[in-house]
Amino acid sequence: MFNLFKKKESQSQWVNSPIQGRIEALDSVPDPVFAGKMVGDGFAVKPANGMVYAPISGEVVQLFGTKHAFGIRSSEGLEVLVHVGIDTVQLKGEGFEAHVATGDQVTQGQLVLSVDLEAIEAAGKSTITPVIVTNMTEVSELVLASEIIGSDKGPTDAVLSVRMK
Amino acid sequence: MKTVVIQNESGLHARPCSHIANMVKNVAGDVYLIKEGKPYNAKSIMSLMGMGVTKGTALEIECADPVVEESLYQFLSNLSE
């Protein structure tokens, strides 16, 4: 129990893009909750296809019933939310298929969701996908290299560097 | 402790969860939303989203600050989006 208080300086962790696509800054997301970083800091990706992978290794702490978003917590305590599209909670799971369940352990790059991007667009929703660190109070450093913005990245590409306190 | 029944169609999704966490982050002491007897840390967005709150879910609010508790109650009672 007491060794909890003797935690050594933590290493940086890489958050990969969950989807193949173009990396965008969060402030370009057409939703003030994400653009204003109310949920946390991170990046967004404009998907080129609908295969969504785990951006970090860890436990699936939340997979929404509507399957439009999921959260993973790493063993180091980093929590990352992937929210596929904007206002997609209103689609009630239509066009979303889950390949994991809440409580599962996943490894970085493991397939989590298959998403019908055309169904999202047909419903008049944006497919842009915020990837957010939700427990910013436990993070000491978060780095998104500016040259990554606008570039094409996929599930094997590191995008965001995060160091926990 | 107050009890509220969630009325909006989408339940507690990203937007209301981030709003709740921001409302309570400066409360000195613990804030919990309790669903079916299980407490969830209201300062953690991931914890709130993990509750799986949908329309019709009854929640108890436990908050060290009565003023914030009242505003939480008002916010949750009037969720419409």
Side-chain angles (χ1 to χ4, degrees), chain A residues 32-46:
Chain A
V33 174
F34 294 114
K37 300 183 179 176
M38 282 180 66
V39 182
D41 206 347
F43 62 95
V45 54
K46 183 69 181 167

Side-chain angles (χ1 to χ4, degrees), chain A residues 31 33-34 38-39 61-62 64 71 79-81 83 87 89 134, chain B residues 9-10 12-15 18-19 22 44-46 49-52:
Chain A
D31 183 332
V33 174
F34 294 114
M38 282 180 66
V39 182
V61 287
Q62 170 61 353
F64 280 56
E79 294 179 349
V80 176
L81 170 74
H83 193 286
D87 285 334
V89 67
T134 56
Chain B
E9 286 295 335
S10 304
L12 290 188
H13 56 99
R15 197 190 319 272
S18 61
H19 194 85
N22 281 301
S44 160
I45 290 171
M46 199 71 91
M49 293 199 297
M51 295 181 74

Side-chain angles (χ1 to χ4, degrees), chain B residues 20-48:
Chain B
I20 292 165
N22 281 301
M23 283 171 85
V24 305
K25 69 179 176 189
N26 292 325
V27 172
D30 293 333
V31 186
Y32 294 106
L33 294 185
I34 301 161
K35 178 189 160 194
E36 292 161 4
K38 187 174 176 199
Y40 294 83
N41 179 5
K43 293 183 178 181
S44 160
I45 290 171
M46 199 71 91
S47 156
L48 291 172

